[in-house]
């Protein structure tokens, strides 16, 4: 028999080695520490600002009567009417188009799917104002296609088209994943009973996707009604609530009015959030584990129609992007169409452009670098460890960012962190607070990505490592993180690009030194410097796209590199 | 013993009055089990009987609501999994896919105060023990199911635990591989003399591998005994039905060592006088002849005859007890007398029958 030092002899009683107790202690610290950190972040960076904003409403003059007076004023009703009208119109325009596009992606054999899909993601790579700027170049007072809009692009139609462009990818993502889940058995049954295409669609496809259509509609409505970047650029005299909230806080220092409008804008978001959660519970898991993956049969007529439709949509999206980028490279639209980089020196705009761009890079980089490990680790611990009521609280708080529009969050930050009594007030105007704001704002989708990846891992991996007396943190680092690296990179990408392009919350938080690129786009446009605004927006687009492509290549390279152990799943 | 690396400190495991509920659902109630040092005990039962929960409680992955657990003299009832001294092999093996076989096996050694060379030596020993030295630098995904299982076992055994837990270790394997690995795993366990608790729903597996089997049903242990006793002398009708095939005949009473079934009466070895109940016997204890035997012989009709390769499985019905078909196994050896008659004589050996007082099973 060999006699290794760690092998106990039969005679010795098995006493727990101190190292093992230490491992258990480390695990408890790791699990509770990260969860506690997340709760603190969510309370300070989300819950308290939200409460501060709601508290500000109380300060409206004359109390409840004042509130009533405000919401029953003809100006408020006019703004509300405008907001609702343009938001509903955007839903009516975007959701059917996105459905057709998603259908072409998931249920057809058309060529060039990857290219079409990539083009459809472009709107997410730039601030929302990019589309509005491009629309002005095309159909504005000096636009080359001005005649298409005899009544002018400024106003309802401009906002509608701009919002449609900006919201398309978000609606598309929901519908693509819904159409990706289909049970082939239902289609076989339908066809075997002699149903035609239309009947199969009505009886099988539509019931399977109508919740997603509703969810997408809610998302687009909420996004549109709370977005103010597009109305500021192209709204003209057609004013909306979100713009009013922004102006009353930033321009007129009417804080309580801003808070009141912010609270009102929270309502549709909360309602759609609650309805969505209720529906999810109602329908449970729609596709059973026995479901066979449905692959649509080839159909030349259908595929031709879908290719034309998806191609037209992609072309429209691409041309808006190209117009904005192209216009930024032209000397003086529409009088001198020669190539020029002069918009990129930002001299006429006081040189703020490059400072803002650097700040944005810093913000996006920090948000991704700090946010990714925190969000991913927290998602891991929520999936793989149990913490009783504390986990329930954390889960609830983690869903909250979904229900809070950026504008509302920004207002909350103003009221909470800018409050003279707040010891954290020193953070106001600094990059740290903006990082916190971005991590909180983009938390929920990032965490969902992480959770989806983590759920594919065997729970017994953690149990096995416990039995081997290895601390959870070690297994997380040595096993879970390497396996989940592609998902981790996706979270990183999402946080980076979202922070790079976001305006709505951050516009309330910057100081002259920390001005951000997306914010500067809005300011430049506001001061009539449309060329520079287009240039800066193009720069953001280019950066986001490059980072996305780079991360995609890294992720793919990683998959190839780790093929030897990924090929066969254990 | 030269081929066995490291000491295994064999320790008994004592499970005392364990209870567990999930919400309103009681999964285990008052489960007690004494596993002797070096013994292999199988927890056998249908799905949902609580056997996996019991194993997870022993592993510390679930916390019991009531009862105590001891490994040797040490109370581990409240200990964290890391403070307990066991190795576990999961149904899925739960190998780390991104680590090589070597790294997998050495995983539990890396956090101990060991020199790198000691770890390497121990890993090499374990690789040799499970016969995978050639695959040391491969990844789990490149191995077959049976090889992966051996890696999982080596990984669990590498830190020399005093208790080994096996969670349905064979269920992911093909039938042929399974049979071979059963014996391999068992002989390894016997060589190491490590106390082992194994969960399975496969009665053959339990029979072949276990020193003792704990048959579980609805959160309770119905019987805890050797495989032979479990099969031959089931303690409850549930055990009789769950393990092997059971024949049942309703009886009205037992008196003077005889059981009375309507017009019939049969001699029993062990019989406690009493009221109605059900008479149990295994298919292979029944004897089939063309003539009546000295005692306990009853005329019967053959209803079906199935050829099973090594034996015939006959379905017969007693002429005087219609509606209660019995199954009898007889040898299919060519030398054995062929039974073509439809009318046969069924003999019930007194030692092979057991009377369970009471009603339905």
């Amino acid at each position: 028999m060999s006699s290794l030092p760690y092998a106990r002899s039969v005679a010795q009683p098995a006493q727990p080695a101190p190292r093992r107790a230490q491992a258990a202690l480390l695990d408890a610290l790791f699990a509770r520490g990260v969860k506690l950190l997340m709760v603190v972040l969510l309370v300070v960076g989300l819950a308290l600002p939200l409460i501060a904003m709601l508290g500000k409403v109380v300060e409206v003059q004359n109390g409840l009567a004042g509130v009533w007076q405000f919401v029953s004023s003809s100006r408020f009703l006019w703004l509300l009417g405008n907001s609702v009208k343009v938001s509903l119109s955007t839903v009516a325009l975007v959701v059917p188009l996105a459905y057709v596009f998603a259908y072409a992606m998931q249920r057809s054999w058309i060529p060039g799917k990857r290219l079409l899909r990539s083009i459809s993601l472009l709107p997410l790579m730039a601030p929302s104002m990019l589309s509005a700027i491009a629309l002005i170049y095309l159909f504005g007072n000096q636009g080359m296609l001005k005649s298409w809009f005899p009544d002018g692009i400024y106003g309802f139609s401009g906002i509608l088209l701009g919002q449609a462009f900006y919201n398309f990818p978000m609606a598309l993502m929901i519908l693509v994943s819904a159409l990706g889940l289909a049970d082939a058995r239902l289609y076989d049954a339908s066809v075997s009973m002699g149903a035609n295409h239309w009947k199969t669609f009505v009886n099988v496809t539509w019931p399977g996707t109508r919740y997603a259509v509703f969810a997408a509609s809610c998302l687009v409505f909420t996004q549109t009604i709370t977005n103010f970047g597009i109305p500021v650029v192209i709204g003209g005299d057609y004013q909306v609530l979100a713009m009013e909230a922004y102006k009353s806080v930033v321009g007129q220092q009417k804080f309580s009015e801003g808070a009141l409008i912010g609270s009102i804008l929270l309502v549709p978001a909360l309602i759609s959030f609650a309805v969505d959660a209720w529906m999810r519970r109602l329908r449970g898991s729609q596709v059973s584990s026995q479901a066979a993956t449905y692959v649509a049969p080839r159909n030349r007529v259908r595929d031709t129609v879908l290719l034309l439709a998806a191609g037209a949509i992609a072309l429209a999206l691409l041309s808006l992007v190209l117009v904005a980028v192209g216009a930024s490279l032209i000397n003086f639209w529409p009088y001198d169409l020669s190539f020029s980089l002069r918009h990129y020196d930002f001299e006429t705009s006081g040189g703020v452009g490059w400072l803002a761009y650097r700040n944005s890079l810093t913000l996006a980089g920090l948000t991704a670098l700090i946010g990714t490990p925190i969000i991913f680790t927290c998602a891991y611990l929520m999936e793989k460890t149990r913490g009783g009521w504390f986990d329930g609280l954390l889960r609830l708080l983690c869903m909250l960012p979904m229900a809070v529009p950026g504008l509302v969050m920004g207002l909350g930050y103003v009221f909470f962190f800018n409050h003279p009594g707040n010891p954290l007030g020193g953070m106001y105007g600094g990059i740290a607070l903006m990082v916190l704001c971005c991590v909180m704002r983009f938390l929920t989708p990032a965490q969902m990505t992480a959770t989806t990846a983590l759920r594919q891992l065997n729970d017994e991996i953690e149990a096995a490592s416990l039995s081997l007396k290895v601390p959870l943190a070690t297994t997380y680092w040595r096993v879970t993180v390497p396996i989940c690296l592609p998902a981790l990179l996706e979270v990183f990408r999402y946080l980076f690009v979202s922070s790079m392009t976001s305006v709505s919350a951050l516009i309330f938080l910057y100081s002259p030194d920390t001005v951000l690129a997306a914010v500067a786009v809005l300011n430049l446009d506001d001061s009539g410097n449309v060329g520079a605004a287009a240039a800066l927006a193009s720069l953001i687009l280019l950066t986001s796209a490059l980072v996305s492509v780079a991360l995609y290549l890294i992720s793919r390279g990683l998959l190839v590199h780790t093929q030897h152990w990924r090929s066969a799943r254990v | 013993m030269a081929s066995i690396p490291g000491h295994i400190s064999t320790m008994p495991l004592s499970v005392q009055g364990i209870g567990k509920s999930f919400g309103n659902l009681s999964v285990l109630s008052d489960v007690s089990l004494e596993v002797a040092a070096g013994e292999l005990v199988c927890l056998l039962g249908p799905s949902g009987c609580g056997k996996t929960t019991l194993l997870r409680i022993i592993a510390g992955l679930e916390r019991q609501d009531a009862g105590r657990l001891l490994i040797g003299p040490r109370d581990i009832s409240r200990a964290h999994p890391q403070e307990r001294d066991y190795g576990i092999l999961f149904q899925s093996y739960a190998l780390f896919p991104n680590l090589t076989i070597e790294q997998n096996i050495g995983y539990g050694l890396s956090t101990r105060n060991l020199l790198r060379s000691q770890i390497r030596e121990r890993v090499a020993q374990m690789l040799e023990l499970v016969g995978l030295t050639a695959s040391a630098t491969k990844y789990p995904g490149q191995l077959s199911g049976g090889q992966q299982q051996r890696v999982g076992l080596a990984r669990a055994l590498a830190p020399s635990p005093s208790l080994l837990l096996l969670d349905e270790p064979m269920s992911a394997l093909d039938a042929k591989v399974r049979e071979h690995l059963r014996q391999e795993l068992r002989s390894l366990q016997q060589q190491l003399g490590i106390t082992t608790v194994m969960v399975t729903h496969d009665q053959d597996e339990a029979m072949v591998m276990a020193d003792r089997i704990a048959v579980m049903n609805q959160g309770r242990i119905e019987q805890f005994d050797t495989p032979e006793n479990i099969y031959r002398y089931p303690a409850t009708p549930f055990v009789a039905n769950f393990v092997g095939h059971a024949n049942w005949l309703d009886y009205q009473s037992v008196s003077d060592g005889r059981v009375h079934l309507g017009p019939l009466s049969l001699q029993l070895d062990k019989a406690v006088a009493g009221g109605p109940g059900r008479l149990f016997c295994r298919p292979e204890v029944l004897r089939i002849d063309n003539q009546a035997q000295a005692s306990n012989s009853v005329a019967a009709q053959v209803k079906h005859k199935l050829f099973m390769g090594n034996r015939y499985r006959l379905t017969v019905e007693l002429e005087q007890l219609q509606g209660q078909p019995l199954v009898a196994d007889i040898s299919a050896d060519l030398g054995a007398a062929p039974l073509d008659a439809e009318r046969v004589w069924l003999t019930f050996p007194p030692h092979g029958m057991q009377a369970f007082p009471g009603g339905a099973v």
Side-chain angles (χ1 to χ4, degrees), chain B residues 249 261 264 266 286 297-301 303 316-326 344-348:
Chain B
L249 289 170
L261 313 107
L264 297 172
L266 297 168
L286 293 172
S297 248
V298 185
Q301 295 285 335
K303 295 287 179 192
V316 297
E317 202 168 46
L318 302 185
E319 284 178 353
Q320 289 171 290
L321 285 177
Q322 303 276 324
Q324 299 190 65
L326 298 174
V344 293
W345 288 88
L346 207 55
T347 308
F348 293 84

Side-chain angles (χ1 to χ4, degrees), chain A residues 2 5-6 8 14 16 19-20 24 27 386 458 460 463-464 466-470 475 478 482-483 564-565 568, chain B residues 6-7 61 74 82 84-86 88 90 92 94 97-98 107 111-114 118 122 125 139 141 155 160:
Chain A
S2 59
Y6 50 84
R8 288 179 304 276
R19 287 191 66 82
R20 297 185 187 170
D27 280 2
R386 276 169 293 180
N458 191 339
E460 288 175 346
L466 286 181
S467 80
L468 294 166
K469 285 75 179 169
V470 177
T475 302
R478 274 192 70 185
I483 298 176
H564 47 284
W565 57 264
Chain B
H7 295 267
L61 301 172
R74 208 181 134 226
Q82 288 131 322
R84 304 181 181 203
D85 189 25
Y86 68 89
I88 186 164
F90 288 103
S92 64
N98 60 322
Y107 197 78
T111 55
R112 294 164 194 234
N113 284 322
L114 293 178
Q118 290 173 320
R122 180 67 173 160
Q125 285 173 338
Y139 286 89
R155 184 181 68 179
S160 321

Side-chain angles (χ1 to χ4, degrees), chain A residues 416-448:
Chain A
F416 181 67
F417 289 101
N418 209 17
H419 193 277
N422 190 332
L424 296 170
M427 290 172 78
Y428 194 80
I431 205 102
L433 192 67
M434 296 198 227
V435 171
L436 176 68
C437 179
C438 283
V439 171
M440 290 298 109
R441 249 203 96 195
F442 307 121
L443 177 98
T444 315
Q447 197 181 33
M448 282 175 170

Side-chain angles (χ1 to χ4, degrees), chain A residues 162-199:
Chain A
Q163 297 283 14
F165 172 86
Y166 186 59
N167 280 291
F168 182 78
M170 293 185 249
L172 182 66
M173 271 194 276
I174 296 179
L175 295 170
V176 160
S177 67
L179 280 162
L181 293 175
D183 190 344
R185 296 172 301 175
L186 293 177
Y187 286 87
D188 293 344
S190 179
V191 171
S192 70
M193 285 188 287
N196 59 25
H197 293 298
W198 176 243
K199 233 178 157 169

